[in-house]
Amino acid sequence: MAEDGTLTRVTHTDVREPTCELREILDRVGDKWSMLVLHLLAAGPRRYSELHRAIDGISPRMLTLTLRSLERDGLVSRSVTPTSPPRVDYTLTAVGETLQPPVHALIEWAQVHRDYVSKSREHYDIAERGGQAL
Amino acid sequence: MAEDGTLTRVTHTDVREPTCELREILDRVGDKWSMLVLHLLAAGPRRYSELHRAIDGISPRMLTLTLRSLERDGLVSRSVTPTSPPRVDYTLTAVGETLQPPVHALIEWAQVHRDYVSKSREHYDIAERGGQAL
DNA sequence: CGGCATCCTTTTTGATACTG
DNA sequence: CAGTATCAAAAAGGATGCCG
């Protein structure tokens, strides 16, 4: 995510293939939790604690960072209700909703091909080496 | 990519939401280069050096790791032609091809919404703090 | 050419404790 | 409840050099 600054990596003007743009989105959606959060929010607004419980392995820190990042990119909106115990709801923005189809496509792919991938891994690990998991 | 081994993260059997599966695919496709390689291979087989040049910022190490990982998962196949200078071609497998639609969907989303995301970030950084990029 | 091994730096993520 | 701050571990990535 270090756009420029120290290294400017010349950019070769060789952008026949959208490598740069691709990297940007992959960085956006390819972190450990973003897609998961996006997916959960697809079902409607959720509170911070709901997300926290739903995701199970996430630390408050990462949940907050993920949500802030999504908010910064305009994909999620945060609304605070200053009641006695504060209440914060996160909702997909209109643009955030448009990310649903791609996200969903990926999730479906995963469900359909999970077994295949597992088998492939086993086969590869047994065959090529002695179990030298890459 | 460290599947299991030391940590086994208990799995809580709380899989109402497909968090676990999702994490698996995201890890598969969400690294820095996999999708990029997958995308390039969509246009047909490529040699190692072609991929290396096409991707531009990748180190030989990462290209190899990425390709091995994709091969291990059965998404890419590697064929060696033992000519004078050895020649190695990488091709999408049938299942690798099925990953194209989701990948493509994501790429398109990115192209369409890049400006929106940029604007959102600027706005967020200027407004919320004093430029405290998350 | 293709690619592994080694060493090192940068980024990411996690655990925890504490606050409005 | 909804975070933030701090500390530390772990992963990912990069630079090199050597080899078949």
Side-chain angles (χ1 to χ4, degrees):
Chain A
M1 295 188 183
E3 298 261 52
D4 49 59
T6 41
L7 292 178
T8 316
R9 185 147 346 261
V10 200
T11 311
H12 281 186
T13 318
D14 180 36
V15 201
R16 300 161 314 193
E17 312 286 349
T19 53
C20 305
E21 295 93 274
L22 226 188
R23 284 306 320 286
E24 283 177 37
I25 326 97
L26 296 184
D27 285 350
R28 160 65 289 175
V29 126
D31 63 54
K32 206 170 180 181
W33 309 106
S34 288
M35 266 195 144
L36 212 41
V37 170
L38 248 18
H39 180 60
L40 288 171
L41 289 179
R46 298 281 186 105
R47 297 180 61 170
Y48 180 90
S49 51
E50 290 179 312
L51 291 171
H52 197 179
R53 272 192 298 279
I55 297 184
D56 165 66
I58 199 171
S59 65
R61 182 183 128 81
M62 286 316 296
L63 181 53
T64 298
L65 285 178
T66 302
L67 288 168
R68 287 285 177 284
S69 176
L70 291 169
E71 190 190 357
R72 184 166 96 106
D73 288 359
L75 303 178
V76 159
S77 69
R78 175 172 177 272
S79 65
V80 184
T81 311
T83 50
S84 29
R87 176 200 178 95
V88 180
D89 289 276
Y90 292 91
T91 316
L92 287 181
T93 63
V95 174
E97 302 263 12
T98 69
L99 233 186
Q100 280 307 310
V103 168
H104 191 69
L106 218 48
I107 294 173
E108 265 201 51
W109 183 91
Q111 293 173 336
V112 173
H113 300 285
R114 183 151 22 122
D115 284 356
Y116 171 83
V117 172
S118 292
K119 290 272 189 178
S120 295
R121 288 181 181 176
E122 282 178 44
H123 186 275
Y124 185 96
D125 292 345
I126 295 173
E128 302 305 320
R129 312 276 167 93
Q132 208 77 312
L134 176 58
Chain B
M1 296 186 184
E3 296 261 51
D4 46 62
T6 42
L7 292 178
T8 317
R9 189 165 318 280
V10 201
T11 312
H12 279 184
T13 319
D14 179 35
V15 201
R16 299 162 315 193
E17 312 285 348
T19 53
C20 304
E21 295 95 275
L22 227 188
R23 285 308 318 285
E24 283 178 37
I25 327 96
L26 296 184
D27 285 349
R28 158 65 290 173
V29 127
D31 64 56
K32 206 171 180 181
W33 310 106
S34 289
M35 267 194 144
L36 211 42
V37 170
L38 250 16
H39 180 60
L40 289 171
L41 289 180
R46 297 282 186 106
R47 296 180 62 172
Y48 180 90
S49 51
E50 291 179 313
L51 291 171
H52 197 180
R53 273 192 298 280
I55 297 183
D56 165 67
I58 200 171
S59 64
R61 181 184 130 83
M62 286 317 296
L63 181 53
T64 298
L65 284 179
T66 301
L67 289 167
R68 285 290 173 284
S69 176
L70 290 169
E71 190 191 357
R72 185 165 97 105
D73 288 0
L75 303 179
V76 160
S77 68
R78 175 173 177 273
S79 65
V80 183
T81 310
T83 51
S84 30
R87 175 201 178 94
V88 180
D89 289 276
Y90 291 91
T91 316
L92 286 182
T93 63
V95 174
E97 302 263 12
T98 69
L99 233 187
Q100 280 306 311
V103 168
H104 191 68
L106 217 48
I107 294 174
E108 265 201 51
W109 183 90
Q111 293 173 335
V112 174
H113 300 285
R114 182 155 20 123
D115 284 356
Y116 171 83
V117 171
S118 293
K119 290 272 188 176
S120 294
R121 287 180 181 177
E122 283 178 44
H123 186 275
Y124 185 95
D125 291 345
I126 296 173
E128 301 305 319
R129 311 277 168 94
Q132 207 77 311
L134 178 55

